């Protein structure tokens, strides 16, 4: 069935890979958004003829409007623009490929407008999983995972035939610093953190992979998507990123989805589900892979996973605090204002400082996010 897509974050790693697979599927683009990369957005708009283009940044939106003046494409800015893209009447599916908590309001608006969500923006579920999943159930919309691990689980679940999952096993590459001790992590640089061994991704998620916070966020994402407690979600380090994740049944049988590490397959499956179409991604040759390795994660050197497990047990506003603090700390690290090893330390302190709320409203979630960022700013300034 033909899809009518709004792609939020079209100029990023997931956004551009989504556009790359459009030629393999039956889809039309209704809206495209960026933060500031209007050069690329203009190229994309001229090739794909959407009805709406959005630059979150106001100044960039002004420039984009001038650049697209010879077309009949509407240009908008800011959060209103993102929400307009997410709820456009001609769109049926929203690809949420913006990075960070900024994806929450547009995602909720899209669900409210009855759109299916191809969800890459994991921060949305980490912050407000309860609100998002409740809204999706109420509206009867699909949340189709794009994240490779969650897509793997989703694909395996097709074989469940109504049987409950006993366990989800999320694989983690271990990132560039796998095997390093806490002491050695004190020496690592921004450039080293941005060298991911298997995946080419945006700077924020690449840093999250280096701290292992990405797997922590994915644990929370899996908990909300598949309604399992954290005690039934296991993490295993798998250096080659070929086994994208696994599920285990009551009888101990384990199913996995395998493939080369390339996001275009999970993106395409989210957009063609339940159908499968030929895909540009190279085929897996197990003989070429030769050997696959698996290890227990080191939660002492990489404490982010413990913080995420704590957030998963407590629920409430704790996910929003963890995420807001992490976004703030990673932002500081990427701009050269925080050493790598302090990222999880500041997140932990912010989690101790922001008061707990068991049943947060959307406003509470937004306030918790702000409080967490503020806590990181004060903690960093005090060091
Ligand atoms: P990128 O940084 O490559 O791209 C992010 C996109 O969002 C860009 O289009 C960017 O615009 C836009 N953007 C950034 N900040 C804002 C803002 N404040 N308001 C509006 N738009 C904004 O990120 P990725 O593609 O790597 O990741 C996107 C999401 O997908 C993240 O949540 C990530 O965790 C998730 N994900 C990514 C994977 C990957 O392989 N990359 C794998 C699995 C999940 P601009 O171009 O102007 O910066
Ligand atoms: Mg992932």
């Amino acid at each position: 069935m033909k899809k009518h897509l709004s792609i939020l974050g079209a100029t990023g790693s997931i956004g551009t890979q989504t556009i790359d697979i459009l030629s393999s599927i039956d889809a039309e683009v209704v809206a495209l958004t960026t933060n500031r990369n209007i050069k690329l957005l203009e190229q994309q708009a001229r090739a794909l003829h959407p009805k709406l283009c959005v630059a979150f940044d106001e100044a960039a939106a002004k420039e984009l409007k001038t650049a697209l003046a010879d077309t009949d494409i509407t240009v908008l800015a800011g959060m209103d623009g993102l929400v307009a893209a997410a709820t456009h009447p001609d769109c049926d599916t929203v690809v949420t490929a913006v990075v960070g908590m900024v994806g929450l309001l547009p995602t909720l608006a899209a669900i409210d407008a009855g759109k299916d969500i191809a969800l890459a923006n994991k921060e949305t579920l980490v912050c407000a999983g309860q609100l998002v999943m409740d809204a999706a159930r109420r509206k009867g919309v699909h949340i189709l995972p794009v994240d490779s691990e969650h897509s793997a689980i989703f694909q395996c679940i097709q074989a469940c035939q109504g049987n409950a999952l006993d366990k989800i096993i999320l694989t983690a590459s271990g990132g560039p610093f796998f095997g390093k001790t806490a002491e050695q992590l004190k020496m690592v640089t921004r450039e080293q953190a941005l060298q991911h061994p298997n995946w080419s991704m945006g700077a924020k998620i690449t840093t999250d992979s280096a701290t292992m916070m990405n797997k922590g966020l994915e644990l929370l994402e899996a908990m909300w998507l598949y309604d399992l407690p954290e005690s039934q979600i296991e993490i295993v380090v798998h250096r080659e990123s070929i086994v994208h994740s696994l599920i285990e049944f009551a009888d101990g049988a384990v199913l996995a989805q395998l493939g080369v590490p390339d996001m275009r397959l999970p993106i395409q499956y989210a957009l063609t589900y339940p159908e499968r179409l030929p895909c540009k991604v190279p085929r897996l040759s197990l003989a070429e892979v030769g050997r696959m390795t698996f290890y227990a994660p080191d939660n002492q050197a990489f404490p982010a996973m413990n913080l995420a497990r704590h957030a998963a047990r407590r629920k409430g506003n704790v996910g929003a605090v963890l995420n807001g603090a992490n976004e703030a700390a990673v932002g500081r690290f990427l701009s050269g204002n925080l050493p790598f090893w302090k990222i999880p330390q500041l997140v932990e302190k912010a989690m101790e400082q922001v008061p707990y709320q068991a049943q947060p409203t959307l406003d509470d979630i937004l306030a918790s996010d702000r409080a967490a960022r503020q806590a990181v700013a004060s903690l960093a300034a005090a060091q």
Side-chain angles (χ1 to χ4, degrees):
M1 209 175 66
K2 186 166 186 161
K3 296 275 154 128
H4 303 83
L5 305 177
S6 285
I7 307 174
L8 310 185
T11 52
S13 162
I14 293 290
T16 51
Q17 291 181 85
T18 303
I19 290 171
D20 188 46
I21 58 102
L22 289 181
S23 53
S24 309
I25 67 172
D26 189 14
E28 180 184 303
V29 171
V30 175
L32 295 170
T33 86
T34 184
N35 184 19
R36 289 201 186 94
N37 192 349
I38 52 167
K39 237 193 166 94
L40 179 56
L41 199 79
E42 183 191 345
Q43 279 173 22
Q44 293 174 338
R46 292 195 183 276
L48 298 166
H49 312 291
K51 302 238 162 79
L52 172 64
C53 279
V54 177
F56 186 76
D57 181 87
E58 302 275 345
K62 265 193 195 141
E63 272 187 60
L64 184 63
K65 201 166 178 150
T66 310
L68 290 174
D70 62 318
T71 71
D72 56 3
I73 300 170
T74 306
V75 176
L76 295 174
M79 185 51 80
D80 289 350
L82 287 187
V83 169
T87 58
H88 195 288
D90 294 351
C91 140
D92 49 53
T93 305
V94 178
V95 180
T96 64
V98 292
V99 57
M101 147 83 164
V102 71
L104 174 59
L105 294 179
T107 305
L108 284 172
I111 294 170
D112 203 44
K115 318 292 187 193
D116 285 333
I117 308 291
L119 185 122
N121 177 243
K122 62 191 85 181
E123 293 89 350
T124 284
L125 281 187
V126 171
C127 290
Q130 188 80 59
L131 296 179
V132 171
M133 297 311 287
D134 284 353
R137 269 188 288 270
R138 212 167 43 239
K139 286 284 174 178
V141 305
H142 291 111
I143 307 275
L144 299 150
V146 166
D147 212 348
S148 57
E149 296 77 2
H150 305 74
S151 174
I153 294 159
F154 183 60
Q155 293 178 59
C156 292
I157 283 177
Q158 309 305 317
C160 267
Q161 305 217 338
N163 288 294
L165 300 187
D166 222 40
K167 204 195 271 177
I168 282 175
I169 304 164
L170 291 177
T171 51
S173 71
F177 303 140
F178 173 72
K180 287 202 188 294
T181 62
E183 220 28 60
Q184 289 168 327
L185 287 176
K186 294 198 167 164
M187 321 292 201
V188 303
T189 64
R190 180 183 183 278
E191 283 58 44
Q192 289 167 332
L194 291 179
Q195 294 289 320
H196 196 280
N198 305 337
W199 299 95
S200 161
M201 312 181 284
K204 193 264 179 179
I205 181 174
T206 305
T207 308
D208 286 344
S209 299
T211 59
M212 293 290 284
M213 182 59 91
N214 183 49
K215 214 47 58 181
L217 302 179
E218 290 184 356
L219 176 128
L220 287 148
E221 184 184 11
M223 174 182 86
W224 291 117
L225 282 172
Y226 302 114
D227 198 21
L228 272 193
E230 60 83 29
S231 55
Q232 282 168 262
I233 306 175
E234 190 179 303
I235 311 295
V236 65
V237 174
H238 165 44
R239 293 296 283 159
E240 296 77 15
S241 299
I242 298 293
V243 179
H244 294 310
S245 278
L246 316 89
I247 59 174
E248 188 175 310
F249 293 112
D251 59 2
V254 175
L255 297 192
Q257 186 257 328
L258 284 71
V260 297
D262 189 317
M263 287 307 295
R264 291 174 299 176
L265 194 144
I267 294 169
Q268 178 167 314
Y269 188 63
L271 297 178
T272 63
Y273 166 81
E275 218 181 325
R276 287 192 184 266
L277 295 179
C279 184
K280 290 179 173 177
V281 172
R283 297 293 165 113
L284 174 65
S285 161
L286 283 174
E288 250 171 55
V289 173
R291 182 188 297 261
M292 293 197 283
T293 55
F294 299 91
Y295 307 87
D298 177 355
N299 294 340
Q300 258 183 334
F302 299 91
M305 184 53 63
N306 297 332
L307 302 177
R309 286 202 182 274
H310 175 77
R313 282 190 296 271
R314 296 278 281 161
K315 300 197 179 71
N317 67 336
V318 185
V321 175
L322 168 104
N323 181 73
N326 184 57
E327 283 191 34
V330 170
R332 279 176 182 270
F333 168 70
L334 287 174
S335 58
N337 295 317
L338 191 75
F340 178 82
W341 62 279
K342 287 209 174 156
I343 298 173
Q345 203 181 74
L346 290 199
V347 174
E348 182 171 10
K349 287 191 178 151
M351 288 170 76
E352 285 162 9
Q353 285 184 10
V354 180
Y356 177 63
Q357 285 171 301
Q359 302 280 343
T361 61
L362 178 58
D363 282 345
D364 295 333
I365 296 282
L366 298 174
S368 299
D369 172 73
R370 282 193 300 271
R373 287 168 199 266
Q374 189 56 55
V376 167
S378 314
L379 288 160
Q383 297 204 344

